[in-house]
Amino acid sequence: MTVTNIAEGEAPSEQTGEFTTDLTVTDRHDAADGVVTLTLSAPDGQTLPAWKPGAHIDLLLDDGLVRQYSLCGDPRDTGHWRIGVLLDPASRGGSRLVHDRLHAGSTVRVRGPRNNFPLVDAGEYLFIAGGIGITPILAMADEAHRSGTEWSLLYLGRTAATMAFADDLVDRYGDRVRLWRDDEHGLFDIGAELAEPRENTLVYCCGPEPLLAAVEEHCGTWPAGSLRIERFTAKQIEPTEGALENFQVECRKSGVTVDVSGDTSILEALEDADVEIFSSCQEGICGTCEASVLEGEPDHRDSMLTDEQRAAGTVILTCVSRSRSAKLVLDL
């Protein structure tokens, strides 16, 4: 990632190449019941790092909280970033802090952008969004539209009042957008929607776990690689046969080797040994703690990597995954 004209004196991390700086909230808007959008800008109108549809940023909040939010503005706007934040009734503090403390004029520390949900070339796209899962899809739909690629969007929500950006989407794209409100029509039949596999079509889905699980199930008959998902919460991952309770992790760049026991994560062992590595979600969904694997066989327990990435075994999310070999060698 190329970074220009931001926060003189700061630099991208050697580990991730990510940029960390303080941004100002220049606009706050109520987008739906329980959803606010924040527009973030750099001091003095400086240029922000480039990003592509599917990217998210970390907000480094008070009390040590770090939360990820998808960028939902226009990637061509190099002066502003926009995010949408749902106030989660079960919030562990992150969304509550955003809603209560970040207003126009507030300053917030930001890290990124990072993209674990990239829009790759396809003959056609089917976008499926549930609730606040619409945020990463907004820029994807715009990119597909501008490129002339065939696409459609199915946007599911509980009520009209809870569906942020819905009216704007229909105004801009017309019948490419289908809105489904549970209070008017009942639950959507996702099985019927995905019953017939489509060649040369990629399905992009983001939303609550029940929706993602249903889409995964019903895309099982589609061509391999047809489905791309971004999760807000981790899946339940069962340990695989051959996973080790105790193993070593060698950090090739730093020359540090650590022992990892059954009650310690790789990330915790690395942090205890003062190995520089970023972390955020601690659940295997954001990719912040990803490391390259040089030797050994990971035991993947994350909810982010694709089946192809798991099979390749060249990266690992250190916050949750473990090892099937006595030693893992990481590029740290």
Side-chain angles (χ1 to χ4, degrees):
M1 178 178 65
T2 301
V3 182
T4 57
N5 301 322
I6 297 286
E8 182 178 356
E10 295 196 32
S13 159
E14 291 182 0
Q15 176 208 337
T16 64
E18 293 178 335
F19 200 84
T20 305
T21 193
D22 294 322
L23 298 182
T24 300
V25 179
T26 52
D27 182 72
R28 172 174 164 144
H29 173 68
D30 291 326
D33 286 354
V35 178
V36 296
T37 59
L38 302 180
T39 300
L40 308 174
S41 306
D44 303 322
Q46 296 168 318
T47 301
L48 294 174
W51 61 280
K52 293 183 178 181
H56 68 264
I57 57 174
D58 296 337
L59 295 193
L60 283 65
L61 302 167
D62 296 343
D63 304 322
L65 292 174
V66 180
R67 294 293 183 267
Q68 299 79 41
Y69 297 105
S70 297
L71 290 167
C72 60
D74 186 345
R76 297 169 297 176
D77 181 357
T78 60
H80 306 89
W81 285 343
R82 185 177 70 164
I83 59 174
V85 181
L86 169 69
L87 179 58
D88 184 353
S91 172
R92 293 173 295 167
S95 65
R96 173 61 65 187
L97 280 174
V98 171
H99 276 249
D100 288 352
R101 301 187 191 179
L102 295 185
H103 301 275
S106 299
T107 298
V108 61
R109 196 152 187 81
V110 175
R111 184 170 65 209
R114 185 184 314 112
N115 200 337
N116 304 316
F117 194 42
L119 185 69
V120 301
D121 290 340
E124 184 174 348
Y125 299 105
L126 170 59
F127 301 118
I128 303 175
I132 197 62
I134 190 63
T135 49
I137 302 298
L138 292 174
M140 291 185 178
D142 186 57
E143 175 70 19
H145 199 73
R146 286 191 290 106
S147 70
T149 306
E150 285 298 315
W151 67 276
S152 61
L153 166 62
L154 172 62
Y155 182 11
L156 312 174
R158 291 182 290 106
T159 67
T162 62
M163 298 176 69
F165 314 109
D167 291 341
D168 181 58
L169 283 164
V170 173
D171 289 344
R172 294 177 66 185
Y173 305 122
D175 59 8
R176 287 184 182 272
V177 178
R178 289 178 292 160
L179 303 180
W180 183 277
R181 304 175 180 100
D182 292 346
D183 66 333
E184 297 178 15
H185 309 295
L187 293 178
F188 186 81
D189 187 349
I190 201 69
E193 176 70 23
L194 299 172
E196 294 295 330
R198 306 180 200 175
E199 294 292 333
N200 301 316
T201 299
L202 290 184
V203 179
Y204 277 79
C205 183
C206 186
E209 183 57 33
L211 171 63
L212 302 186
V215 170
E216 282 186 311
E217 177 185 353
H218 293 292
C219 278
T221 59
W222 284 52
S226 295
L227 177 60
R228 310 297 170 99
I229 276 180
E230 183 169 63
R231 284 185 153 83
F232 297 137
T233 57
K235 288 198 302 184
Q236 189 69 32
I237 306 292
E238 296 297 328
T240 58
E241 185 177 352
L244 300 178
E245 282 288 306
N246 303 294
F247 54 94
Q248 287 189 323
V249 173
E250 175 188 334
C251 301
R252 181 63 54 82
K253 286 181 178 177
S254 59
V256 174
T257 297
V258 298
D259 294 316
V260 182
S261 61
D263 58 355
T264 303
S265 69
I266 296 174
L267 176 64
E268 290 169 334
L270 295 176
E271 290 178 332
D272 288 345
D274 295 325
V275 175
E276 183 183 7
I277 182 168
F278 286 151
S279 65
S280 180
C281 72
Q282 309 285 328
E283 296 181 275
I285 58 175
C286 76
T288 308
C289 68
E290 180 181 300
S292 296
V293 178
L294 302 178
E295 297 176 22
E297 184 181 359
D299 173 42
H300 296 292
R301 302 187 187 182
D302 64 274
S303 302
M304 192 198 84
L305 297 180
T306 64
D307 290 341
E308 293 79 7
Q309 288 174 312
R310 290 191 175 90
T314 56
V315 295
I316 186 172
L317 298 194
T318 59
C319 65
V320 293
S321 295
R322 301 187 68 78
S323 182
R324 296 168 60 86
S325 54
K327 177 184 282 190
L328 285 178
V329 181
L330 305 183
D331 191 23
L332 292 173

PDB file of all heavy atoms in Angstrom, residues 158-171:
ATOM      1  N   ARG A 158     -34.845  -6.578   8.901  1.00  0.00           N
ATOM      2  CA  ARG A 158     -36.009  -6.863   9.738  1.00  0.00           C
ATOM      3  C   ARG A 158     -37.178  -5.936   9.402  1.00  0.00           C
ATOM      4  O   ARG A 158     -38.317  -6.371   9.268  1.00  0.00           O
ATOM      5  CB  ARG A 158     -35.637  -6.727  11.218  1.00  0.00           C
ATOM      6  CG  ARG A 158     -34.683  -7.828  11.706  1.00  0.00           C
ATOM      7  CD  ARG A 158     -34.381  -7.684  13.183  1.00  0.00           C
ATOM      8  NE  ARG A 158     -33.555  -6.511  13.469  1.00  0.00           N
ATOM      9  CZ  ARG A 158     -33.963  -5.395  14.023  1.00  0.00           C
ATOM     10  NH1 ARG A 158     -35.237  -5.264  14.390  1.00  0.00           N
ATOM     11  NH2 ARG A 158     -33.142  -4.391  14.249  1.00  0.00           N
ATOM     12  N   THR A 159     -36.875  -4.632   9.312  1.00  0.00           N
ATOM     13  CA  THR A 159     -37.893  -3.631   8.995  1.00  0.00           C
ATOM     14  C   THR A 159     -37.268  -2.578   8.095  1.00  0.00           C
ATOM     15  O   THR A 159     -36.036  -2.468   7.995  1.00  0.00           O
ATOM     16  CB  THR A 159     -38.418  -2.934  10.261  1.00  0.00           C
ATOM     17  OG1 THR A 159     -37.366  -2.142  10.844  1.00  0.00           O
ATOM     18  CG2 THR A 159     -38.914  -3.944  11.303  1.00  0.00           C
ATOM     19  N   ALA A 160     -38.093  -1.770   7.475  1.00  0.00           N
ATOM     20  CA  ALA A 160     -37.580  -0.697   6.624  1.00  0.00           C
ATOM     21  C   ALA A 160     -36.725   0.272   7.430  1.00  0.00           C
ATOM     22  O   ALA A 160     -35.715   0.790   6.935  1.00  0.00           O
ATOM     23  CB  ALA A 160     -38.746   0.047   5.969  1.00  0.00           C
ATOM     24  N   ALA A 161     -37.113   0.523   8.675  1.00  0.00           N
ATOM     25  CA  ALA A 161     -36.406   1.512   9.492  1.00  0.00           C
ATOM     26  C   ALA A 161     -35.000   1.071   9.870  1.00  0.00           C
ATOM     27  O   ALA A 161     -34.164   1.903  10.226  1.00  0.00           O
ATOM     28  CB  ALA A 161     -37.209   1.812  10.764  1.00  0.00           C
ATOM     29  N   THR A 162     -34.729  -0.233   9.809  1.00  0.00           N
ATOM     30  CA  THR A 162     -33.410  -0.729  10.208  1.00  0.00           C
ATOM     31  C   THR A 162     -32.459  -0.908   9.030  1.00  0.00           C
ATOM     32  O   THR A 162     -31.294  -1.258   9.226  1.00  0.00           O
ATOM     33  CB  THR A 162     -33.535  -2.087  10.934  1.00  0.00           C
ATOM     34  OG1 THR A 162     -34.099  -3.058  10.038  1.00  0.00           O
ATOM     35  CG2 THR A 162     -34.415  -1.966  12.168  1.00  0.00           C
ATOM     36  N   MET A 163     -32.918  -0.656   7.796  1.00  0.00           N
ATOM     37  CA  MET A 163     -32.127  -0.958   6.603  1.00  0.00           C
ATOM     38  C   MET A 163     -31.443   0.305   6.077  1.00  0.00           C
ATOM     39  O   MET A 163     -32.005   1.050   5.274  1.00  0.00           O
ATOM     40  CB  MET A 163     -33.002  -1.609   5.538  1.00  0.00           C
ATOM     41  CG  MET A 163     -33.578  -2.942   5.999  1.00  0.00           C
ATOM     42  SD  MET A 163     -34.728  -3.710   4.816  1.00  0.00           S
ATOM     43  CE  MET A 163     -33.612  -4.150   3.480  1.00  0.00           C
ATOM     44  N   ALA A 164     -30.215   0.530   6.543  1.00  0.00           N
ATOM     45  CA  ALA A 164     -29.449   1.708   6.137  1.00  0.00           C
ATOM     46  C   ALA A 164     -29.153   1.659   4.639  1.00  0.00           C
ATOM     47  O   ALA A 164     -28.909   0.595   4.075  1.00  0.00           O
ATOM     48  CB  ALA A 164     -28.142   1.764   6.931  1.00  0.00           C
ATOM     49  N   PHE A 165     -29.187   2.808   4.012  1.00  0.00           N
ATOM     50  CA  PHE A 165     -28.815   3.023   2.608  1.00  0.00           C
ATOM     51  C   PHE A 165     -29.820   2.436   1.612  1.00  0.00           C
ATOM     52  O   PHE A 165     -29.597   2.511   0.405  1.00  0.00           O
ATOM     53  CB  PHE A 165     -27.426   2.439   2.294  1.00  0.00           C
ATOM     54  CG  PHE A 165     -26.368   2.764   3.298  1.00  0.00           C
ATOM     55  CD1 PHE A 165     -25.868   1.775   4.140  1.00  0.00           C
ATOM     56  CD2 PHE A 165     -25.870   4.053   3.415  1.00  0.00           C
ATOM     57  CE1 PHE A 165     -24.888   2.065   5.074  1.00  0.00           C
ATOM     58  CE2 PHE A 165     -24.889   4.359   4.353  1.00  0.00           C
ATOM     59  CZ  PHE A 165     -24.398   3.366   5.171  1.00  0.00           C
ATOM     60  N   ALA A 166     -30.924   1.857   2.072  1.00  0.00           N
ATOM     61  CA  ALA A 166     -31.832   1.149   1.172  1.00  0.00           C
ATOM     62  C   ALA A 166     -32.427   2.071   0.109  1.00  0.00           C
ATOM     63  O   ALA A 166     -32.433   1.746  -1.086  1.00  0.00           O
ATOM     64  CB  ALA A 166     -32.947   0.475   1.975  1.00  0.00           C
ATOM     65  N   ASP A 167     -32.967   3.214   0.512  1.00  0.00           N
ATOM     66  CA  ASP A 167     -33.599   4.119  -0.450  1.00  0.00           C
ATOM     67  C   ASP A 167     -32.591   4.617  -1.479  1.00  0.00           C
ATOM     68  O   ASP A 167     -32.900   4.701  -2.679  1.00  0.00           O
ATOM     69  CB  ASP A 167     -34.238   5.304   0.279  1.00  0.00           C
ATOM     70  CG  ASP A 167     -35.451   4.888   1.105  1.00  0.00           C
ATOM     71  OD1 ASP A 167     -36.005   3.805   0.839  1.00  0.00           O
ATOM     72  OD2 ASP A 167     -35.824   5.644   2.020  1.00  0.00           O
ATOM     73  N   ASP A 168     -31.397   4.933  -1.032  1.00  0.00           N
ATOM     74  CA  ASP A 168     -30.367   5.423  -1.945  1.00  0.00           C
ATOM     75  C   ASP A 168     -29.987   4.355  -2.967  1.00  0.00           C
ATOM     76  O   ASP A 168     -29.792   4.644  -4.148  1.00  0.00           O
ATOM     77  CB  ASP A 168     -29.134   5.867  -1.159  1.00  0.00           C
ATOM     78  CG  ASP A 168     -28.039   6.416  -2.060  1.00  0.00           C
ATOM     79  OD1 ASP A 168     -28.292   7.381  -2.797  1.00  0.00           O
ATOM     80  OD2 ASP A 168     -26.918   5.860  -2.044  1.00  0.00           O
ATOM     81  N   LEU A 169     -29.899   3.114  -2.526  1.00  0.00           N
ATOM     82  CA  LEU A 169     -29.558   2.024  -3.435  1.00  0.00           C
ATOM     83  C   LEU A 169     -30.607   1.864  -4.530  1.00  0.00           C
ATOM     84  O   LEU A 169     -30.283   1.706  -5.712  1.00  0.00           O
ATOM     85  CB  LEU A 169     -29.410   0.716  -2.655  1.00  0.00           C
ATOM     86  CG  LEU A 169     -28.115   0.548  -1.862  1.00  0.00           C
ATOM     87  CD1 LEU A 169     -28.250  -0.583  -0.843  1.00  0.00           C
ATOM     88  CD2 LEU A 169     -26.941   0.269  -2.798  1.00  0.00           C
ATOM     89  N   VAL A 170     -31.877   1.912  -4.157  1.00  0.00           N
ATOM     90  CA  VAL A 170     -32.950   1.778  -5.145  1.00  0.00           C
ATOM     91  C   VAL A 170     -32.966   2.971  -6.087  1.00  0.00           C
ATOM     92  O   VAL A 170     -33.143   2.813  -7.306  1.00  0.00           O
ATOM     93  CB  VAL A 170     -34.308   1.607  -4.440  1.00  0.00           C
ATOM     94  CG1 VAL A 170     -35.446   1.646  -5.450  1.00  0.00           C
ATOM     95  CG2 VAL A 170     -34.337   0.301  -3.662  1.00  0.00           C
ATOM     96  N   ASP A 171     -32.760   4.169  -5.541  1.00  0.00           N
ATOM     97  CA  ASP A 171     -32.732   5.365  -6.384  1.00  0.00           C
ATOM     98  C   ASP A 171     -31.613   5.297  -7.417  1.00  0.00           C
ATOM     99  O   ASP A 171     -31.790   5.731  -8.571  1.00  0.00           O
ATOM    100  CB  ASP A 171     -32.560   6.617  -5.527  1.00  0.00           C
ATOM    101  CG  ASP A 171     -33.799   6.950  -4.702  1.00  0.00           C
ATOM    102  OD1 ASP A 171     -34.878   6.398  -5.012  1.00  0.00           O
ATOM    103  OD2 ASP A 171     -33.677   7.740  -3.746  1.00  0.00           O
TER     104      ASP A 171
END
